[in-house]
Amino acid sequence: MTSVLEVKELSKSFGGNHAVNNVSFAVGAGELLALIGPNGAGKTTCFNMLMGQLAPDAGEVLLDGENLVGLPPRAIWRKGVGRTFQITATYPSMTVVENVQMAIMSDKKRLFSFLPYARNLYREEAVTLLDLVGMAEQADRAAAILAYGDLKRLELAIALAHKPRLLLMDEPTAGMAPSERIKLMQLTADIVADKGISVLFTEHDMDVVFAHAHRVMVLNRGEIIANGSVDEVRDDPLVREVYLGGGTVFADKEESENA
Amino acid sequence: MGPFIAQFLTGLANAAALFLVASGLSLIFGVTRIVNFAHGSFYMLGAFIGYTVMQLLPGAFGFWSSILVAGLAVGLIGVIVEMLVLRPIYRAPELFQLVATFGVILVIQDLALITWGAEDLLGPRAPGLKGVIRILGEPVPKYDLALIAITPFILFALWYLITKTRLGVLVRAATQDREMVAALGVNQSWLFTGVFFLGAMLAGLGGALQLPKGGADLLMDFNILASIFVVVVIGGMGSLPGAFIAAVLISVLNVFGVRYMPQSTLVLMYVVMAVVLIIKPYGLMGRKEVAGEHGQVGEPEQPFSPFGRRGRLIVAVLLIALATLPFLGSKFAMILAIDIIIVCLFAASLHFILSLGGLVSFGHAAFFGGGAYAAALMVHYAGSPMELAFVLAPIITGFLAIIIGWFCIRLTGVYFAMLTLAFSQLLWSLVFQWGEVTGGDDGMVSIWPSPWASDTTVFFYLTMIIGFGGILVLRHAAHSPFGYALRASRDSAGRAEATGINTKRVQFVAFTFAGAMAGLAGTLFVFSKGSIFPTELEIGKSFDALIMVFLGGVKTLAGPLVGASALSLMQDYLTRFEYWRLALGLLIIAVVIIAPEGIAGTSQKLAARWGIIRRDEVQ
Amino acid sequence: MKLITKIAGLAMASAIGLSSVSAFAAETIKIGEINHYKRMAAFTTPYQNGIKLALSEVNGAGGVLGKPLEFIYRDDQGKPGEAVKIAEELITRDGAVMITGTIFSHVGLAIASWAGQKKHVYLAAEPLADALVWAKGNKYTFRLRASTHMQASMLAEEAAKNPAVKYATIAPNYAYGKDAVAAFEKALKKLRPDVVFVTKQWPGLFKIDAGAEVQAIEAAKPDAIYNVTFGGDLAKFVREGSTRGLFDNRLVLGLLTGEPEYIDPLKDEAPENWIVTGYPWYDFKDGANKTFVDAYMAKYSERPGIGSLVGYMVVKTIAAGITKAGSTDTEALVKAFEGLDVATPIGKIHFREIDHQATSGAFVGKTKLKDGKGIMVDWTFKDGANYLPSDEEVKAMRPASK
């Protein structure tokens, strides 16, 4: 399997504490890869390094063989990596469709263009994307007044705006009702399957993980302790030990995580 | 060696009042996050009250008690201000309070005028400390030595208060994390009031203490304001030792500046400030600002859209109506309209970065005055015609904005505001002290329009075209992809960066663009008046623009125009009365309390509520 | 949005409508008087009293051209930009026929430039900078008081009689201060080529750091000091200087320092033995000066200042000028003011055709403490006509076209 993303010996420590220690893995083309682990395992740190928000102490992040380490988030995005945030980040002063248009304008390098009306630019493309996530009828509402689940879907539409090859989703279903979680993840799975996008996501809700992930990696204390199919990981005694022995259960609803 | 030490001691003595006032400002900011523009007014009140009490209490005991009484009295005045003016608006948008404190400045100015009259009062000399002591043969006034001794004592007392008492613990905790203190069940509003008392008292003490070296006059408030901002910013906002070090640094530097570089004392102060901030953006002893602390407060603005056909029609009709002014109104009406259009453009340019970009600049006058001076210098030295000046002056101002922006854009929130203030003051001091080129205080005169445009009617039309042209360009930019990128950078920098937007670059370009547009307003201004003076670069000018924007409403595109027109008309009308500052100040405070969204924002809300306009028509 | 635009438009329109109403009804001849009323109250209050005293005399005698003279007083807060705006307003909205007033020279220069451009007469009363009638003079600007050149020359004449060689100067860093120092230096060097200026201090107007200034002057070890500071700056400078012994055994000259407005606030700290220009109102025994002082004190029950005298002379000058012109037309006024002779308490003054400067003189004397306040003693009155440069020099300085 060709891999889109390859992570080699990635490390980061904060004041002697190894948040991420020598982590290596790869994301295959079209693969839906889940990164799980108890709180403080280093998932978000890992994510932030992949997205360029945090500089690793050592290691490489290769996107189709090209090293992303040292690039700022916006450059990594331009290379074809989209992301959603654990706590949604949208532009509350704009309408739903404008949020998506903004990302398309950025992709088309129209950020410094003064002449056209932004609201007319790439509106159709944006509405198509909204349609994809089932938000088309809300296109002209203010993003500020959306329900949380809708914001998550809007974020997904934004993340798809520049036709990414890889999508990084940090707890895509955090803060949603359980029934909504499955729906959103199903939607995501369908879209990426359709478009051939690879996805790396972290998740607390094991139902979501086991229902949709092609493969699961388990991070504990900054190290990968398991990496395999859903069934393999579920039956892994070490994983059970980490989750159960650490006082954390699979159904943990805790949303927050230390960076 | 003797003269050197004597000069050093003079600097130390001068630092006393500066430190007291600055530490009060710093404390208030640290805990309440309010940038109290009225702090200079507290200082002035301390001087006046101290003077009055000294007339009543004789002798050395009377003198020193008077200083204490002045401090306490000003502290109480601070409490009144906090409870009446600031408490109702703690929930208002970011930095909105500064408009209210500006209103307080105006009110206090006139109340002081009414109470003490306009004449400068020469402070009484300290009983028992009138003479000098010779140190290495150099005369050093005894009172200077007293001040030098008092300052560390007050620093120590403050340090004790902050580190060893319960109030101090709360103050420190609030400085670090306000939500936490609130969560701990501390009554936050009383903590704020207490801090205001302390801060105002320190300013009052400072004012009373400097009496024997100066006196009390009505210009003291603004004269010290710039210096204390410099001190607080160099020292680090919220840091007392920082304020002390910076006060000493600035004062000593100033004394030596007077001796060795008499023409550049002011420039020196601001250069030091700029250098410190470039190396240590949060001041010598300041903390890095907690991210997100100064994000947008209050509900986000409504999405807006360009005018539809009806809107454009209305604007066109209004413009045509205004264009008939030369046929209907008097010559003065045209002149007033010219003034208003110019300030509208100025306010709109500030609004562009402040509202759309979320960058609150305290130094926007640098570009207004900068544009005006650029045009004036071109006309004066190069004999440039007006037409060329209209093209080049805004471009020059744009370059100025590039230079200033390069340093400032790295910062956010109040540190950004302070650094822009520093740079605009640096520019002001350059213009003020580089008299050979800029005319200094005398300004530059005889900068008149080309003959074809010198008639008031013609210049009125020219102003309409350029002024409204500029405003339309700014408005259009708000609707363009660039304007959207700017809003995106403000709304969620993380999202913007994660979708390929270089937020700092977008802000940098916006800052430059807004600077150039302010420069255009300045160019119009200089040709309409025929002269330009450093007052157009002063803090007050930047404040004017801020007040116009906040008064009109930050979160609407019409805000700056409404605010600028309203403030200009109020000023034009009120300045005919003796105590117009009092009236204007009260009016500003009233607007701030009644309509925290500004005039335009609040009337839109009301109109929507009463069904006059549809909700979605609100831009 | 649209509503807001409408409201703004309405507000603008109504303001404009209001402003156009008041311009007419020319029962009186209106004179626009702009001054720093609040900022320089110590000067402007007696000044305004002087104006009112003269107005009651002029109007009591039937006014000018059969109409009463009316002054409209406006405060410019000491800001030149504001002053220009008000000047425009006084002419276009209030119907003033000419402008007078101001103390600060830079404000005066700004109005003068405006007057030259917009062709309105400006009688500068108190701004003393030489540039006003010379380097930046124009057809429409006239000056009443003895200029910096004239007063500095008078002081230089006295200074030259002293053996002092090394001079220090301290002056506010704006037009008046700069012209006052330049004029003094030129006049003194003419009389005493051996004199050197060892330091020149330029504190910002009303921004003096007196302790530092005094130390800087002391460090230059001058024999004599020429002071141009006034108002609050002067008080701080005198206090620091006296405390630190700067004035001990030194010749000190003070431009305007003897004027009651500036020396009275010093009370018992007023310096002694300075050679100053000023106004010894307490010393007049008879003549027009005495008549004026008596009339003033009878009306206001307080001492006149030099401002009172200036205000009084302003009205008398304008009345004489309009009477001579026979109309309030600007060009007629200009013609009338050129060569105008006016009888004033300090004698007849003449507005020179060549530069529009009046030949007003000044009082020069020595300061002394008496009953806890500073006064002038051994004073003489010097006629301004004797302290003006030659016509050739004036022509060389004044822009040719005007």
Side-chain angles (χ1 to χ4, degrees):
Chain A
M1 186 170 64
T2 56
S3 44
V4 172
L5 183 78
E6 218 176 321
V7 175
K8 287 183 178 168
E9 293 161 3
L10 204 59
S11 294
K12 179 79 189 175
S13 51
F14 298 105
N17 176 25
H18 295 286
V20 172
N21 194 8
N22 213 15
V23 164
S24 301
F25 62 88
V27 186
E31 187 179 27
L32 216 68
L33 175 60
L35 180 65
I36 65 168
N39 286 332
K43 299 190 299 285
T44 298
T45 305
C46 194
F47 246 72
N48 284 341
M49 284 191 285
L50 299 186
M51 247 347 260
Q53 260 146 351
L54 209 58
D57 296 337
E60 287 184 331
V61 177
L62 302 174
L63 182 75
D64 286 334
E66 190 182 352
N67 196 353
L68 299 183
V69 169
L71 294 181
R74 57 176 181 273
I76 293 174
W77 181 83
R78 289 209 181 277
K79 303 229 173 265
V81 182
R83 86 167 287 185
T84 64
F85 291 82
Q86 186 178 344
I87 299 163
T88 56
T90 54
Y91 310 128
S93 77
M94 298 182 196
T95 63
V96 170
V97 68
E98 283 170 349
N99 266 275
V100 183
Q101 283 171 282
M102 190 71 246
I104 304 177
M105 285 188 280
S106 177
D107 182 41
K108 308 274 186 194
K109 306 209 165 158
R110 297 296 294 269
L111 292 177
F112 291 93
S113 121
F114 273 85
L115 291 182
Y117 282 112
R119 67 199 308 262
N120 302 335
L121 278 183
Y122 313 114
R123 190 182 155 89
E124 275 173 41
E125 291 93 318
V127 172
T128 312
L129 281 168
L130 286 176
D131 201 30
L132 205 59
V133 299
M135 288 284 293
E137 71 281 4
Q138 301 204 56
D140 290 312
R141 295 184 73 196
I145 55 174
L146 287 188
Y148 196 70
D150 290 343
L151 276 178
K152 285 278 182 187
R153 290 196 284 166
L154 171 58
E155 266 213 325
L156 183 58
I158 295 172
L160 295 170
H162 71 315
K163 303 187 176 65
R165 282 174 287 162
L166 174 68
L167 211 51
L168 300 176
M169 305 179 80
D170 197 3
E171 308 230 359
T173 67
M176 301 176 76
S179 61
E180 291 236 314
R181 296 180 178 193
I182 301 288
K183 262 202 290 192
L184 180 75
M185 217 49 217
Q186 187 60 54
L187 178 69
T188 310
D190 292 348
I191 292 171
V192 297
D194 185 44
K195 298 189 181 290
I197 302 171
S198 313
V199 177
L200 173 67
F201 71 103
T202 67
E203 188 51 66
H204 263 101
D205 186 337
M206 289 309 135
D207 294 339
V208 170
V209 173
F210 295 150
H212 297 289
H214 301 160
R215 190 156 60 93
V216 180
M217 286 187 301
V218 184
L219 204 60
N220 188 40
R221 299 186 184 190
E223 294 182 30
I224 291 182
I225 55 168
N227 185 350
S229 72
V230 169
D231 290 338
E232 283 166 20
V233 167
R234 192 166 16 204
D235 297 335
D236 190 317
L238 186 58
V239 174
R240 297 191 85 87
E241 160 73 25
V242 163
Y243 271 84
L244 296 172
T248 321
V249 289
F250 281 166
D252 183 32
K253 297 285 189 284
E254 183 69 50
E255 307 299 352
S256 68
E257 185 183 24
N258 301 323
Chain B
M1 196 59 203
F4 185 83
I5 288 175
Q7 283 174 339
F8 186 72
L9 291 175
T10 304
L12 279 184
N14 289 351
L18 197 54
F19 163 67
L20 283 176
V21 187
S23 62
L25 181 71
S26 200
L27 262 180
I28 290 177
F29 172 79
V31 175
T32 66
R33 294 276 139 179
I34 287 178
V35 180
N36 179 27
F37 282 166
H39 216 65
S41 307
F42 291 153
Y43 166 74
M44 178 175 81
L45 281 178
F48 274 116
I49 294 173
Y51 180 91
T52 304
V53 182
M54 280 173 198
Q55 307 303 309
L56 304 174
L57 303 177
F61 177 76
F63 176 84
W64 294 104
S65 338
S66 303
I67 290 178
L68 277 182
V69 169
L72 291 172
V74 175
L76 288 176
I77 293 170
V79 168
I80 294 170
V81 167
E82 197 271 344
M83 292 177 69
L84 290 186
V85 179
L86 296 171
R87 247 189 215 191
I89 54 169
Y90 278 128
R91 294 259 142 239
E94 178 187 10
L95 296 175
F96 195 55
Q97 292 90 357
L98 63 89
V99 182
T101 60
F102 189 78
V104 172
I105 293 182
L106 295 175
V107 170
I108 290 181
Q109 252 177 7
D110 262 1
L111 290 181
L113 177 69
I114 292 167
T115 315
W116 287 282
E119 279 201 45
D120 293 2
L121 302 176
L122 185 60
R125 293 207 268 189
L129 296 170
K130 286 181 186 170
V132 293
I133 288 175
R134 297 225 163 240
I135 295 178
L136 296 173
E138 294 296 320
V140 177
K142 286 179 189 164
Y143 192 69
D144 277 16
L145 292 172
L147 285 179
I148 294 169
I150 290 168
T151 321
F153 176 75
I154 291 175
L155 177 64
F156 177 78
L158 278 177
W159 172 83
Y160 185 86
L161 183 74
I162 298 294
T163 53
K164 304 284 176 194
T165 65
R166 179 173 154 75
L167 175 70
V169 171
L170 292 179
V171 166
R172 273 185 300 149
T175 310
Q176 308 275 332
D177 188 343
R178 272 197 291 172
E179 279 70 26
M180 182 59 88
V181 175
L184 289 175
V186 174
N187 185 332
Q188 202 171 330
S189 51
W190 283 109
L191 177 64
F192 281 20
T193 309
V195 167
F196 241 85
F197 174 78
L198 188 60
M201 185 182 81
L202 287 169
L205 283 177
L209 264 179
Q210 63 78 45
L211 276 170
K213 287 176 71 71
D217 62 71
L218 292 169
L219 300 175
M220 289 173 76
D221 49 356
F222 269 102
N223 276 351
I224 199 163
L225 198 58
S227 310
I228 55 175
F229 274 119
V230 168
V231 165
V232 169
V233 171
I234 290 184
M237 305 212 52
S239 163
L240 289 177
F244 179 72
I245 293 169
V248 169
L249 178 72
I250 288 298
S251 303
V252 170
L253 207 64
N254 191 49
V255 170
F256 285 102
V258 167
R259 170 90 169 84
Y260 297 105
M261 324 170 56
Q263 298 281 40
S264 49
T265 45
L266 294 166
V267 183
L268 207 61
M269 175 163 94
Y270 296 110
V271 167
V272 168
M273 172 171 178
V275 169
V276 167
L277 289 194
I278 287 161
I279 297 166
K280 297 202 68 159
Y282 302 99
L284 292 175
M285 308 193 70
R287 267 178 332 117
K288 187 170 174 4
E289 196 172 8
V290 181
E293 203 164 2
H294 288 281
Q296 290 266 308
V297 179
E299 55 185 289
E301 66 204 73
Q302 297 291 317
F304 52 69
S305 55
F307 279 134
R309 184 176 297 171
R310 202 181 95 190
R312 286 175 194 207
L313 203 66
I314 292 174
V315 171
V317 167
L318 279 175
L319 285 180
I320 290 168
L322 191 60
T324 59
L325 190 61
F327 307 102
L328 302 173
S330 66
K331 195 173 167 196
F332 179 74
M334 274 194 279
I335 290 163
L336 185 63
I338 290 173
D339 285 355
I340 292 179
I341 294 170
I342 292 172
V343 290
C344 278
L345 177 57
F346 179 39
S349 70
L350 174 64
H351 177 266
F352 188 77
I353 47 163
L354 189 153
S355 172
L356 304 182
L359 298 167
V360 180
S361 165
F362 282 4
H364 207 53
F367 307 118
F368 182 80
Y373 267 98
L377 290 168
M378 284 173 62
V379 171
H380 188 80
Y381 289 103
S384 146
M386 176 188 81
E387 296 78 3
L388 189 64
F390 265 116
V391 176
L392 287 186
I395 294 175
I396 294 170
T397 319
F399 278 109
L400 181 70
I402 288 178
I403 297 168
I404 295 179
W406 191 82
F407 292 109
C408 299
I409 288 295
R410 300 180 297 161
L411 303 182
T412 54
V414 81
Y415 285 89
F416 170 82
M418 285 298 168
L419 196 57
T420 50
L421 178 75
F423 272 102
S424 88
Q425 282 294 106
L426 175 59
L427 191 69
W428 168 80
S429 62
L430 267 175
V431 167
F432 188 77
Q433 292 203 308
W434 199 11
E436 296 81 39
V437 174
T438 60
D441 227 347
D442 303 334
M444 303 185 67
V445 294
S446 299
I447 314 297
W448 295 106
S450 298
W452 65 266
S454 62
D455 179 71
T456 306
T457 309
V458 178
F459 197 81
F460 168 73
Y461 285 122
L462 186 69
T463 307
M464 268 195 78
I465 292 166
I466 295 179
F468 283 115
I471 291 169
L472 287 180
V473 167
L474 280 164
R475 275 192 82 109
H476 183 82
H479 294 300
S480 75
F482 176 70
Y484 272 63
L486 185 61
R487 277 161 67 205
S489 307
R490 172 205 64 191
D491 275 5
S492 172
R495 162 54 69 198
E497 285 283 339
T499 41
I501 301 176
N502 187 339
T503 53
K504 291 293 174 194
R505 183 181 294 167
V506 168
Q507 289 174 343
F508 193 19
V509 173
F511 190 76
T512 305
F513 174 57
M517 293 315 264
L520 185 63
T523 312
L524 271 173
F525 177 83
V526 71
F527 284 112
S528 77
K529 298 286 177 224
S531 50
I532 178 71
F533 300 89
T535 42
E536 301 307 324
L537 282 163
E538 272 176 5
I539 297 183
K541 193 79 193 174
S542 296
F543 286 7
D544 272 357
L546 282 168
I547 289 167
M548 287 168 187
V549 171
F550 279 113
L551 211 55
V554 177
K555 292 175 178 179
T556 59
L557 282 182
L561 309 188
V562 174
S565 309
L567 190 71
S568 302
L569 291 173
M570 280 197 269
Q571 274 176 341
D572 181 67
Y573 182 69
L574 289 174
T575 44
R576 319 195 130 242
F577 299 101
E578 175 145 29
Y579 296 111
W580 63 271
R581 287 191 185 84
L582 181 65
L584 185 63
L586 290 175
L587 208 60
I588 288 175
I589 293 171
V591 172
V592 166
I593 292 175
I594 298 165
E597 316 248 334
I599 301 171
T602 303
S603 24
Q604 274 179 8
K605 271 205 163 159
L606 290 178
R609 189 180 303 163
W610 296 335
I612 299 173
I613 53 174
R614 292 197 316 278
R615 190 68 201 149
D616 59 3
E617 239 184 307
V618 176
Q619 42 117 294
Chain C
M1 169 60 225
K2 283 131 199 172
L3 185 81
I4 300 315
T5 320
K6 272 184 238 170
I7 292 170
L10 274 178
M12 208 161 181
S14 59
I16 285 157
L18 275 177
S19 61
S20 53
V21 178
S22 58
F24 307 99
E27 302 296 323
T28 57
I29 295 178
K30 296 196 178 78
I31 310 295
E33 210 288 327
I34 301 170
N35 236 311
H36 334 308
Y37 279 99
K38 293 276 169 62
R39 199 165 164 194
M40 292 293 290
F43 195 99
T44 50
T45 310
Y47 170 79
Q48 201 176 27
N49 285 342
I51 289 179
K52 286 176 178 163
L53 175 62
L55 275 179
S56 65
E57 289 180 19
V58 168
N59 290 337
V64 182
L65 306 180
K67 289 177 187 169
L69 213 50
E70 183 191 345
F71 270 56
I72 305 168
Y73 309 95
R74 292 290 303 272
D75 190 351
D76 62 9
Q77 306 160 52
K79 293 179 185 167
E82 194 65 26
V84 169
K85 187 179 162 196
I86 291 172
E88 189 90 56
E89 193 177 326
L90 282 166
I91 298 280
T92 58
R93 175 145 74 178
D94 300 321
V97 300
M98 61 173 283
I99 300 293
T100 183
T102 92
I103 296 169
F104 296 143
S105 288
H106 57 309
V107 182
L109 284 165
I111 297 181
S113 164
W114 165 86
Q117 168 78 11
K118 304 274 173 164
K119 301 190 171 48
H120 299 294
V121 174
Y122 169 46
L123 175 64
E126 179 67 18
L128 303 186
D130 293 320
L132 196 70
V133 291
W134 293 340
K136 291 176 181 164
N138 65 51
K139 181 180 163 188
Y140 298 92
T141 302
F142 296 82
R143 182 183 22 226
L144 177 70
R145 268 201 81 183
S147 67
T148 49
H149 177 94
M150 296 152 81
Q151 298 203 37
S153 302
M154 295 170 192
L155 286 182
E157 193 176 77
E158 297 300 315
K161 296 174 186 163
N162 286 277
V165 175
K166 291 193 285 180
Y167 276 77
T169 67
I170 178 164
N173 191 14
Y174 79 112
Y176 161 68
K178 284 183 255 181
D179 280 6
V181 169
F184 179 77
E185 187 172 357
K186 199 174 147 206
L188 185 58
K189 285 233 169 169
K190 203 180 259 176
L191 299 167
R192 284 279 301 274
D194 58 326
V195 159
V196 286
F197 285 79
V198 288
T199 184
K200 288 179 183 165
Q201 292 295 317
W202 303 103
L205 176 62
F206 299 155
K207 291 187 171 76
I208 196 168
D209 182 350
E213 298 290 353
V214 166
Q215 285 178 325
I217 295 176
E218 182 68 57
K221 302 281 172 223
D223 305 325
I225 299 165
Y226 173 61
N227 164 64
V228 190
T229 64
F230 61 94
D233 285 348
L234 174 70
K236 289 171 195 167
F237 176 61
V238 167
R239 174 172 288 178
E240 283 288 337
S242 306
T243 306
R244 295 172 192 253
L246 177 70
F247 310 127
D248 299 349
N249 305 317
R250 285 194 173 114
L251 168 70
V252 187
L253 305 126
L255 199 66
L256 311 189
T257 311
E259 295 181 351
E261 284 90 336
Y262 303 132
I263 200 164
D264 284 0
L266 299 179
K267 296 183 190 141
D268 61 347
E269 289 176 51
E272 289 204 276
N273 294 320
W274 286 23
I275 299 171
V276 297
T277 60
Y279 184 52
W281 60 273
Y282 31 77
D283 248 1
F284 299 129
K285 303 289 181 284
D286 46 30
N289 273 317
K290 174 81 174 150
T291 313
F292 167 71
V293 171
D294 287 349
Y296 187 92
M297 292 184 68
K299 188 167 165 115
Y300 299 107
S301 313
E302 60 180 38
R303 62 124 176 95
I306 187 103
S308 318
L309 176 67
V310 173
Y312 185 85
M313 287 165 70
V314 163
V315 176
K316 292 288 174 151
T317 301
I318 290 173
I322 295 176
T323 307
K324 185 180 164 197
S327 89
T328 56
D329 172 67
T330 295
E331 297 303 323
L333 284 175
V334 170
K335 257 181 109 174
F337 276 112
E338 287 185 341
L340 182 70
D341 288 323
V342 187
T344 76
I346 54 168
K348 192 196 80 174
I349 60 168
H350 172 74
F351 282 86
R352 301 168 10 131
E353 287 92 336
I354 188 167
D355 59 3
H356 297 185
Q357 169 69 46
T359 58
S360 311
F363 299 91
V364 179
K366 239 186 176 131
T367 57
K368 190 175 184 319
L369 267 181
K370 190 188 165 196
D371 306 328
K373 66 179 212 174
I375 56 161
M376 285 166 77
V377 293
D378 306 332
W379 55 268
T380 51
F381 179 74
K382 302 195 183 229
D383 187 353
N386 302 331
Y387 295 89
L388 281 160
S390 69
D391 287 1
E392 286 69 38
E393 282 178 81
V394 169
K395 272 185 193 144
M397 283 187 285
R398 235 174 120 82
S401 59
K402 289 163 184 174

